[in-house]
Amino acid sequence: MDLQKLAESLGVTEVLLKELVEDGRTTWIDGRPRIELRADRPAARMRFTLAHEIAHVLLAQDQTVARRTQGLDHDVLETLCDWVAAALLMPRDWMQRFADRDSYNLSLLRLIANHADVSLSAAAVRLAEVGGRTCMLLRFQRAPRRWVVVGHSGVPKQFIGALEVTSETCLLLDNLVSRRDTWRDLILSARGRTLVARAHLDKSGQTCIALITSMSKDPDS
Ligand SMILES: [Zn+2]
């Protein structure tokens, strides 16, 4: 998807890289949109943000759509634009063949991310959406005392900001030899509940990413 071309065809006057606090923004000058992107973000992230800003332009351009989306909550509108962005970068038709696979793993995620030129996180969210199955990407980092969750995508609302690494999982991650792609069951906790997550792990030194394909309440807890 050539986003620059799409932006042009929608009347976007320019796409600028700037020093911003937010990832991107669209400003309207004399009725014409101009998109600004935060310059110091990774390329794949910037591409997603551009698609997100294009979604804002799309929603604003049709008067009926603009009127009907005007009253939406800020967060709802932002989520809507993320959906449109994901659909622009990873169209459903194209995603379906990946989403229909028997199982999801990190190499599938990398394949999608490379082809669509998006981040692993964006690919995970879209795969969960199109496949209608659990597909969460967690990023762990070794802090001085323990492993902590530093990033999450495709995580259901009730777990956002709540997932924690248990001491059992800390030990597992410490003892895991740095390597790509190995399956483990991770014990996590969220608001006092113990959860078992089937995870495909890629550990590199003090960081580890986990693609979680199922998560359930621990029957032993
Ligand atoms: Zn936005």
Side-chain angles (χ1 to χ4, degrees):
M1 162 65 64
D2 188 337
L3 293 179
Q4 290 284 347
K5 252 195 194 137
L6 178 61
E8 255 170 55
S9 72
L10 292 168
V12 173
T13 51
E14 25 179 11
V15 176
L16 299 168
L17 302 187
K18 288 188 75 173
E19 253 181 64
L20 295 178
V21 179
E22 68 269 45
D23 276 352
R25 69 173 169 217
T26 300
T27 45
W28 298 77
I29 300 159
D30 299 329
R32 297 196 66 187
R34 185 180 76 176
I35 295 175
E36 294 165 326
L37 302 173
R38 182 171 153 172
D40 62 354
R41 302 298 267 162
R45 178 69 222 176
M46 272 204 262
R47 191 169 143 76
F48 192 89
T49 304
L50 177 54
H52 174 103
E53 295 305 321
I54 287 174
H56 277 295
V57 174
L58 274 169
L59 293 180
Q61 272 185 344
D62 184 277
Q63 282 194 0
T64 310
V65 177
R67 238 190 346 263
R68 289 183 184 207
T69 51
Q70 204 176 38
L72 286 181
D73 246 25
H74 176 262
D75 286 357
V76 174
L77 184 63
E78 291 306 303
T79 305
L80 179 61
C81 288
D82 277 347
W83 275 341
V84 174
L88 286 173
L89 297 170
M90 294 164 277
R92 185 169 284 270
D93 292 359
W94 179 80
M95 275 302 284
Q96 202 67 53
R97 76 191 104 149
F98 303 118
D100 287 344
R101 298 246 178 127
D102 289 341
S103 65
Y104 299 165
N105 56 38
L106 283 168
S107 25
L108 177 66
L109 215 56
R110 290 188 197 103
L111 183 78
I112 297 168
N114 284 340
H115 275 276
D117 200 3
V118 296
S119 65
L120 286 180
S121 303
V125 172
R126 187 65 172 152
L127 193 56
E129 217 168 76
V130 175
R133 280 190 267 162
T134 304
C135 181
M136 308 176 210
L137 195 71
L138 295 183
R139 283 171 204 277
F140 302 112
Q141 195 157 15
R142 187 72 170 95
R145 295 166 63 96
R146 54 187 292 115
W147 285 84
V148 289
V149 179
V150 290
H152 58 77
S153 322
V155 172
K157 242 188 189 147
Q158 71 265 33
F159 295 131
I160 291 178
L163 289 175
E164 286 181 56
V165 182
T166 59
S167 46
E168 212 172 332
T169 295
C170 273
L171 201 64
L172 183 150
L173 291 176
D174 275 338
N175 290 333
L176 193 69
V177 180
S178 281
R179 60 183 285 195
R180 271 198 144 181
D181 302 2
T182 174
W183 286 99
R184 293 286 190 283
D185 283 329
L186 298 184
I187 313 293
L188 301 170
S189 74
R191 300 197 175 92
R193 282 172 67 190
T194 306
L195 305 157
V196 185
R198 187 71 188 142
H200 203 203
L201 302 172
D202 179 6
K203 183 186 171 192
S204 168
Q206 305 293 298
T207 60
C208 183
I209 60 172
L211 173 69
I212 292 170
T213 56
S214 77
M215 195 156 77
S216 54
K217 224 180 139 192
D218 184 5
D220 301 331
S221 75

